[in-house]
């Protein structure tokens, strides 16, 4: 159930989970982190959490009508190099600096979306980059220690994201480091 909700973020408590979500668009880590800190501070004062045992930071970027081959340093090939896939889903899990990274690249997947204000539907190709960075097997009781872990996973997510993008696409995003 929702614990906190405003026009930018939603925070939910679920069994063994606290979930923080941006509602529409990404609001910048500096703003988002402050909201996370506020909630964790309040939960700490209420003494409702015994320990934190896992941290996950996930970032999903959607790109309508964009081909990932124009954005990322990744090419999808298989035993028949003459075949070029227009639509694909790629999933990889790996360890990096003791963190588990789950990377999903989806290229030009057809999504049903409103065509205009008259509610007509059309199929739009959507590409997305989905990066989940997970710190597991921890036992923390102090929320301030948890914030350090959240920051570390966020920095690793950012590193994977920026290193995945090609230079031209990265420059077009006007990133803040």
């Amino acid at each position: 159930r929702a614990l906190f909700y405003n026009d930018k973020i939603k925070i939910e408590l679920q069994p063994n989970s606290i979930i923080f979500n941006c509602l529409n668009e990404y609001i910048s880590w500096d703003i988002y982190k402050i909201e996370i800190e506020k909630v964790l501070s309040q939960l700490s004062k209420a003494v409702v959490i015994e320990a934190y045992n896992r941290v996950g930071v996930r970032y999903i970027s959607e790109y309508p009508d964009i081909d990932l081959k124009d954005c990322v340093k990744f090419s999808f090939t298989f035993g028949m190099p003459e075949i070029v896939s227009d639509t694909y889903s790629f999933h990889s899990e790996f360890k990096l600096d003791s963190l588990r990274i789950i990377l999903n690249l989806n290229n030009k997947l057809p999504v049903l979306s409103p065509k205009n204000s008259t509610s007509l539907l059309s199929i739009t190709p959507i590409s997305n980059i989905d990066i989940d960075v997970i710190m597991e097997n921890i036992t923390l009781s102090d929320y301030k220690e948890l914030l350090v872990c959240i920051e570390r996973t966020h920095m690793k997510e950012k590193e994977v994201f920026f290193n995945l993008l090609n230079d031209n696409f990265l420059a077009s995003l006007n990133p803040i480091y």
Side-chain angles (χ1 to χ4, degrees):
R1 73 178 167 82
L3 172 68
F4 175 81
Y5 188 98
N6 65 21
D7 61 338
K8 294 184 170 131
I9 67 167
K10 175 176 75 170
I11 300 164
E12 294 179 77
L13 284 180
Q14 294 186 357
N16 296 315
S17 296
I18 306 169
I19 300 170
F20 299 84
N21 284 313
C22 292
L23 294 177
N24 293 316
E25 59 192 37
Y26 185 63
I27 57 173
S28 92
W29 182 249
D30 291 336
I31 295 170
Y32 199 43
K33 183 170 70 169
I34 290 169
E35 297 301 327
I36 292 170
E37 288 176 23
K38 285 183 202 174
V39 170
L40 293 178
S41 173
Q42 291 299 314
L43 289 173
S44 175
K45 290 175 189 170
V47 193
V48 294
I49 297 174
E50 292 177 26
Y52 302 98
N53 54 31
R54 181 180 183 273
V55 172
V57 173
R58 187 174 187 188
Y59 182 67
I60 304 171
S61 303
E62 284 192 352
Y63 306 103
D65 291 316
I66 289 182
D67 193 322
L68 287 182
K69 77 175 174 5
D70 300 326
C71 306
V72 298
K73 301 173 202 167
F74 174 86
S75 64
F76 181 76
T77 60
F78 48 97
M80 301 171 73
E82 67 278 5
I83 295 176
V84 176
S85 295
D86 292 324
T87 300
Y88 63 80
S89 292
F90 171 81
H91 174 88
S92 179
E93 294 189 29
F94 54 94
K95 288 276 192 176
L96 185 60
D97 298 332
S98 303
L99 300 170
R100 185 161 57 109
I101 314 293
I102 302 171
L103 172 65
N104 290 291
L105 302 175
N106 296 297
N107 192 55
K108 294 169 58 177
L109 298 181
V111 174
L112 202 56
S113 59
K115 188 174 186 174
N116 56 36
S117 60
T118 61
S119 297
L120 294 174
L121 296 176
S122 67
I123 294 175
T124 303
I126 303 283
S127 296
N128 71 43
I129 299 170
D130 177 351
I131 303 168
D132 198 357
V133 179
I134 302 164
M135 182 183 294
E136 299 174 296
N137 303 315
I138 59 173
T139 303
L140 304 171
S141 55
D142 181 5
Y143 84 95
K144 291 181 181 178
E145 292 175 340
L146 178 66
L147 290 171
V148 171
C149 294
I150 291 170
E151 184 64 30
R152 179 173 173 230
T153 55
H154 171 258
M155 293 306 291
K156 189 55 63 180
E157 177 276 323
K158 207 165 138 175
E159 176 186 338
V160 171
F161 181 70
F162 287 146
N163 281 300
L164 185 63
L165 302 181
N166 68 38
D167 293 339
N168 289 336
F169 188 68
L170 180 57
S172 76
L173 297 177
N174 299 315
I176 298 170
Y177 295 96

